C-alpha cells in the first residue's frame, strides 16, 4: 500500500509554526509518501497558503470551524481521526501542541504512538530517544496499523519553500465536545529570535542568581542576535520564564551555537542541546559535567566573563 | 465520595546515569535505584493538597506493572494517599494498555479528577494521560502548572511552548503535571510505618479485561552518538577568537 501521511499543521491562527516544515522532512523519509498537511483553524487560509509552499507537500486540507480557533486536543482529535481515515501515518511535531494532541488521536484509533521520531528507517521502522536521550531505541510497528507519531524537530531540517501544493476544503462531520474552553494565553512579547528556531542561543542557569542577574545574558544575546534559554533551576527560581526552559522537559533545540552560562550540565539539560552544532560552556567549576559535552570550555566567573565578551564582540 | 485517582509509574531514579546493555537488548536496570516517576510524585502531591484544602475526600493511587511496583505504592501511601491499586502486569506495558487499565479503574472508582505525570522519564513517551482522557471521553489539561477547582469545573494553567495557557474544563477531567505545579513533600519515618497498614489491592491485568498487547516491537537499543572532545580556552579573548575561527561570530 502506498504511504499516505497526514501532518497536522501547528499554527497560531496566522503563522505556520516552523516545526511543521520539519515534520514534512520527516515524512519525506517515508518512501513514495503522499504528504497531506491538514490545517484546523477558524480561518485557515493564511496558514494553508504557507503550508502549500513547503517542498514535498502533495496537498493541503483546510478544516474551517470556529471551534478550531484555539488548539484544544479534545476538540481537534476526533476531527483529525475523521480526516486521517485512509492515511497510513498521522504525524505532528513533538511540541507541546503535538504532545497534547497526538496521544488523544492514537487512543481514538486504538493504535500505539511513536513519540519523538528522530530518524525514519522505513515506513514502519523508526528511531527515537529514551531515558533523556541516554539510549536510542529502534521500534517497528505492524505495517497494517495506522502509525501515529510525533516528530522530534531538532532531528530534521525544515522543508524548503518553493512548492505550490493545491489547497482543498475538507468538511468533517463529527460531534465536538464543549467541555473544554480556552481562557487565555500569556506569552512574553519580545523582538528576540525564537528559542526553538534560533541559530544562536545564550542560556543561563542557577548561577545567574536573580532575575536582575539574568539580564546580563539578554544583553549578550542581543549583541549576538541570539535567543535566550535557561536551565530548569533558573526557571524554578523565577529568574527566567518557563517558555525558556531547555531540556528533557523543556525545549529540545539544535542551534549552530549554544552558550551555557553557569549551567552545570545535568543529563536532563543536556538532552535538550545534544544536536547543537557548537556548545560553549562558561562555568567556574572545571569539573562541571557541561564540559564533557562542550566544544569550547572556559573556566571562570561568569560575572566577569560575560560583560567582557559583550565588549569584545560589540 | 469525592475521589481523586492518581496514576504513578515505577522508573529508574532520575539521578541514575542509564546505560545500554552491551548486547543492545535494553538498558541496565539490575541493581539500579528505582523511584516514583518525578512527575507522578507531583501529581500525588497536588491530589493531597486538594484533599487537605477540603476539595476531595479520598486520594487513590494506582500503578500498572510487576510485583516490585508495590514499593513505590507504599511510598505513595506514606506520602499520604489513602488507598493503592496495583494492576499486576509483567513485561512491557505500553501507554495505551496502561490507559485502558486506568479506564477500568476510573469506571470502578468514579473519581472527579484524575492526575498523572506529563511523561515518564524512562521511555519519555508523554502519552498515557491524553490517551486515558480520550478513552474516558473527558477533558484533558496537559502540562499543568496551576490547578484551581470550583463547583464542577477546573481552571488549569499549562506550560506550553508559547508561555502559559489557561483552560477551563468541566469535571470530571484529567490533568497531567509539569514540574512547577508544586514541590512534593518528603516522607517521614512514622508515615512509612502507618503506610504499611493502608489498603493495597492487587488486580491482575487480565481480570480487568485488558489485553497486554504490545504493538511496538523494540528492535534494538543503542547508546547515543558521542560528541567529539572539545578544547579549553583561558579567557574571554580566546573564546572570541575560537568562535571567530569557527565562523560563529
Ligand atoms: C524529572 C526532571 C526533569 C528535569 N528537566 C530539566 C530540563 O528540562 N531542563 C533542565 O535544565 N533541567 C531539568 N531538570 C533539572 C536538572 O536535573 C538540574 O537540576 C538543573 O538542570 C540544574 O540547573 P543549573 O545547571 O542551572 O543549576 P546547578 O546544577 O546548580 O548549576 C549551577 C552551575 O553554575 C556554576 N556557577 C556558579 N556560580 C558561578 C559563577 N559565578 N560563574 C560561573 N559559573 C558559576 C556552578 O559551578 C554550577 O555548575 C530536571 C530534573 C528532573 C528531576
Amino acid at each position: 500500500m502506498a504511504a499516505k501521511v497526514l501532518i497536522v499543521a501547528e499554527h497560531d491562527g496566522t503563522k505556520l509554526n516552523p516545526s511543521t516544515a520539519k515534520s514534512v522532512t520527516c515524512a519525506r523519509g517515508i518512501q513514495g509518501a503522499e504528504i497531506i498537511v491538514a490545517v484546523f483553524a477558524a480561518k485557515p487560509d493564511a496558514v494553508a497558503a504557507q503550508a502549500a509552499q513547503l517542498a514535498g507537500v502533495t496537498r493541503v486540507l483546510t478544516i474551517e470551524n470556529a471551534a478550531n480557533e484555539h488548539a484544544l486536543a479534545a476538540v481537534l482529535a476526533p476531527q483529525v481521526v475523521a480526516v486521517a481515515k485512509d492515511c497510513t501515518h498521522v504525524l505532528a511535531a513533538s511540541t507541546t501542541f503535538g504532545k497534547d494532541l497526538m496521544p488523544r488521536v492514537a487512543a481514538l484509533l486504538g493504535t500505539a504512538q511513536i513519540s519523538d521520531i528522530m530518524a525514519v528507517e522505513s515506513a514502519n521502522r523508526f528511531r527515537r530517544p529514551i531515558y533523556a536521550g541516554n539510549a536510542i531505541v529502534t521500534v517497528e510497528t505492524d505495517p497494517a496499523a495506522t502509525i501515529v507519531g510525533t516528530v522530534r524537530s531538532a532531528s530534521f531540517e525544515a522543508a524548503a519553500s518553493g512548492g505550490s501544493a493545491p489547497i482543498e476544503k475538507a468538511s468533517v462531520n463529527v460531534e465536538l465536545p464543549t467541555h473544554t474552553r480556552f481562557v487565555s494565553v500569556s506569552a512574553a512579547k519580545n523582538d528576540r529570535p525564537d528559542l526553538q528556531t534560533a541559530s544562536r542561543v545564550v542560556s543561563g542557569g542557577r548561577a545567574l542568581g536573580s532575575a536582575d542577574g539574568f539580564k546580563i545574558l539578554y544583553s549578550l544575546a542581543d549583541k549576538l542576535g541570539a535567543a535566550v534559554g535557561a536551565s530548569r533551576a533558573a526557571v524554578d527560581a523565577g529568574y527566567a520564564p518557563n517558555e525558556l526552559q531547555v531540556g528533557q522537559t523543556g525545549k529540545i533545540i539544535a542551534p549552530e551555537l549554544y552558550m551555557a552560562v553557569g549551567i552545570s550540565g545535568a543529563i536532563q539539560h543536556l538532552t535538550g542541546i545534544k544536536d547543537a552544532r557548537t556548545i560553549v560552556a562558561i562555568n567556574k567549576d572545571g569539573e562541571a559535567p557541561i564540559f564533557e559535552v562542550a566544544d569550547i570550555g572556559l573556566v571562570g566567573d561568569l560575572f566577569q566573563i560575560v560583560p567582557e565578551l559583550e565588549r569584545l564582540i560589540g | 465520595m469525592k475521589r481523586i485517582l492518581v496514576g504513578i509509574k515505577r522508573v529508574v531514579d532520575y539521578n541514575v546515569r542509564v546505560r545500554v546493555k552491551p548486547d543492545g537488548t535494553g538498558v541496565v536496570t539490575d541493581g539500579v535505584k528505582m523511584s516514583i516517576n518525578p512527575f507522578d510524585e507531583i501529581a500525588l502531591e497536588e491530589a493531597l493538597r486538594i484533599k487537605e484544602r477540603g476539595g476531595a475526600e479520598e486520594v487513590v493511587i494506582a500503578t500498572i506493572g510487576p510485583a516490585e511496583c508495590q514499593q513505590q505504592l507504599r511510598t505513595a501511601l506514606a506520602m499520604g494517599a489513602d488507598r493503592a491499586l496495583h494492576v499486576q502486569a509483567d513485561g512491557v506495558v505500553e501507554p495505551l494498555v496502561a490507559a485502558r487499565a486506568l479506564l477500568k479503574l476510573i469506571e470502578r472508582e468514579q473519581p472527579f479528577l484524575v492526575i498523572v505525570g506529563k511523561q515518564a522519564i524512562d521511555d519519555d513517551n508523554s502519552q498515557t494521560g491524553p490517551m486515558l482522557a480520550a478513552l474516558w471521553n473527558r477533558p484533558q489539561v496537559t502540562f499543568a502548572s496551576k490547578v484551581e477547582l470550583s463547583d464542577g469545573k477546573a481552571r488549569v494553567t499549562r506550560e506550553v511552548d508559547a508561555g502559559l495557557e489557561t483552560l477551563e474544563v468541566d469535571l470530571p477531567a484529567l490533568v497531567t503535571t509539569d514540574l512547577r505545579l508544586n514541590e512534593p513533600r518528603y516522607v517521614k519515618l512514622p508515615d512509612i510505618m502507618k503506610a504499611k497498614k493502608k489498603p493495597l489491592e492487587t488486580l491482575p491485568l487480565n481480570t480487568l479485561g485488558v489485553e497486554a498487547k504490545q504493538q511496538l516491537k523494540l528492535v534494538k537499543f543503542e547508546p547515543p552518538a558521542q560528541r567529539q572532545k572539545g578544547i579549553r580556552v583561558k579567557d574571554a579573548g580566546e573564546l572570541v577568537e575560537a568562535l571567530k575561527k569557527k565562523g560563529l561570530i
Side-chain angles (χ1 to χ4, degrees):
Chain A
M1 188 173 57
K4 192 167 167 185
V5 185
L6 185 81
I7 297 175
V8 185
E10 176 170 353
H11 62 85
D12 62 5
T14 50
K15 271 181 69 187
L16 185 66
N17 189 290
S19 61
T20 303
K22 300 187 171 200
S23 299
V24 170
T25 303
C26 172
R28 292 184 83 175
I30 300 165
Q31 241 189 4
E34 185 185 336
I35 300 174
I36 302 159
V37 177
V39 180
F40 297 84
K43 296 192 181 71
D45 295 352
V47 175
Q50 296 160 48
Q53 285 173 18
L54 296 174
V57 173
T58 323
R59 224 157 10 112
V60 176
L61 293 180
T62 59
I63 301 86
E64 184 172 332
N65 189 332
N68 292 341
E69 185 179 353
H70 301 288
L72 302 172
V75 172
L76 292 178
Q79 300 179 70
V80 173
V81 169
V83 172
K85 211 162 56 219
D86 47 342
C87 290
T88 54
H89 300 69
V90 190
L91 301 178
S94 185
T95 51
T96 51
F97 167 78
K99 286 180 180 168
D100 187 44
L101 172 62
M102 298 310 274
R104 193 141 184 145
V105 171
L108 294 180
L109 290 168
T111 188
Q113 175 180 308
I114 304 168
S115 297
D116 303 317
I117 294 170
M118 59 183 283
V120 178
E121 303 222 310
S122 77
N124 67 322
R125 192 168 158 138
F126 307 88
R127 279 155 54 84
R128 60 176 300 263
I130 53 173
Y131 290 98
N134 282 307
I136 310 297
V137 64
T138 302
V139 298
E140 205 175 278
T141 66
D142 176 357
T146 310
I147 294 168
V148 175
T150 59
V151 177
R152 184 177 182 274
S153 299
S155 300
F156 299 91
E157 299 285 335
S161 57
S164 56
I167 300 172
E168 295 163 20
K169 281 193 195 327
S171 61
V172 291
N173 218 339
V174 289
E175 207 186 313
L176 301 181
T178 54
H179 53 44
T180 305
R181 295 167 293 275
F182 173 84
V183 178
S184 64
V185 67
S186 70
K189 285 264 173 291
N190 63 51
D191 303 330
R192 290 194 183 82
D194 172 52
L195 175 58
Q196 228 143 8
T197 47
S199 64
R200 296 166 182 178
V201 174
V202 175
S203 213
R206 193 197 310 272
L208 275 302
S210 66
D212 244 13
F214 213 85
K215 285 187 186 146
I216 63 169
L217 293 189
Y218 285 107
S219 156
L220 175 62
D222 289 346
K223 280 269 157 64
L224 287 165
V228 174
S231 73
R232 174 190 172 186
V235 176
D236 282 359
Y239 307 163
N242 69 285
E243 63 268 23
L244 299 192
Q245 183 176 316
V246 172
Q248 181 185 20
T249 51
K251 291 189 169 118
I252 311 277
I253 56 174
E256 292 292 315
L257 172 64
Y258 185 79
M259 291 182 81
V261 182
I263 291 178
S264 61
I267 42 177
Q268 294 87 4
H269 187 81
L270 300 185
T271 312
I273 59 170
K274 284 217 160 86
D275 294 284
R277 189 72 59 81
T278 298
I279 297 176
V280 173
I282 299 172
N283 195 304
K284 71 175 183 192
D285 172 11
E287 303 293 313
I290 188 75
F291 288 115
E292 288 166 32
V293 300
D295 300 283
I296 308 174
L298 172 51
V299 179
D301 182 358
L302 74 92
F303 292 105
Q304 280 168 8
I305 295 167
V306 171
E308 205 181 328
L309 269 180
E310 198 188 320
R311 190 173 51 78
L312 290 170
I313 293 165
Chain B
M1 180 153 8
K2 274 196 96 179
R3 186 174 287 139
I4 303 177
L5 179 69
V6 176
I8 67 170
K9 187 178 185 187
R10 170 187 165 94
V11 298
V12 172
D13 187 83
Y14 80 96
N15 275 312
V16 173
R17 192 166 267 220
V18 171
R19 289 186 203 287
V20 175
K21 288 182 189 162
D23 66 0
T25 57
V27 301
V28 178
T29 51
D30 284 350
V32 161
K33 184 179 177 208
M34 304 296 283
S35 300
I36 300 178
N37 177 45
F39 293 99
D40 304 345
E41 244 180 347
I42 295 170
L44 174 55
E45 177 65 34
E46 195 62 19
L48 295 174
R49 289 184 190 188
I50 292 168
K51 184 185 160 193
E52 284 158 6
R53 285 199 300 265
E57 290 159 290
E58 190 183 41
V59 174
V60 179
I61 45 162
T63 194
I64 301 112
E68 299 81 60
C69 293
Q70 295 196 3
Q71 289 165 13
Q72 280 66 43
L73 289 175
R74 287 289 170 204
T75 306
L77 290 169
M79 271 179 77
D82 297 294
R83 218 153 38 84
L85 303 172
H86 174 211
V87 178
Q88 187 146 14
D90 295 309
V92 176
V93 177
E94 288 182 353
L96 188 56
V97 173
R100 285 176 174 151
L102 288 168
L103 180 67
K104 295 292 177 188
L105 301 182
I106 288 177
E107 286 164 359
R108 214 180 83 148
E109 302 287 344
Q110 298 290 319
F112 74 99
L113 184 64
V114 176
I115 317 180
V116 298
K118 74 164 178 177
Q119 80 192 75
I121 59 162
D122 49 5
D123 42 32
D124 282 333
N125 272 320
S126 221
Q127 297 174 8
T128 304
M131 282 181 163
L132 176 56
L135 300 177
W136 191 20
N137 201 14
R138 292 304 308 166
Q140 70 186 44
V141 192
T142 49
F143 325 133
S145 64
K146 191 173 171 198
V147 178
E148 294 165 294
L149 301 173
S150 58
D151 43 34
K153 293 188 184 71
R155 190 176 267 250
V156 185
T157 302
R158 40 193 312 257
E159 296 201 4
V160 294
D161 290 336
L164 295 171
E165 183 184 70
T166 304
L167 301 181
E168 186 188 73
V169 295
D170 296 335
L171 297 171
L174 176 135
V175 168
T176 81
T177 58
D178 215 319
L179 291 170
R180 276 167 285 277
L181 181 57
N182 61 50
E183 213 171 298
R185 66 197 63 190
Y186 286 102
V187 174
K188 294 187 228 69
L189 198 59
D191 296 328
I192 297 174
M193 301 313 290
K194 263 195 276 174
K196 290 193 174 135
K197 297 200 192 73
K198 289 186 178 175
L200 189 162
E201 188 181 348
T202 300
L203 308 146
L205 185 63
N206 57 12
T207 62
L208 293 178
V210 176
E211 200 192 333
K213 193 169 107 190
Q214 194 181 335
Q215 295 190 46
L216 295 186
K217 195 166 127 197
L218 306 174
V219 181
K220 65 169 181 239
F221 295 75
E222 292 161 284
Q226 290 301 316
R227 292 186 76 93
Q228 276 193 341
K229 209 170 156 39
I231 57 160
R232 288 272 173 117
V233 293
K234 69 170 200 312
D235 56 29
E238 277 192 25
L239 176 54
V240 169
E241 286 316 307
L243 290 173
K244 277 190 180 146
K245 223 160 73 194
K246 285 178 173 271
L248 287 166
I249 55 172

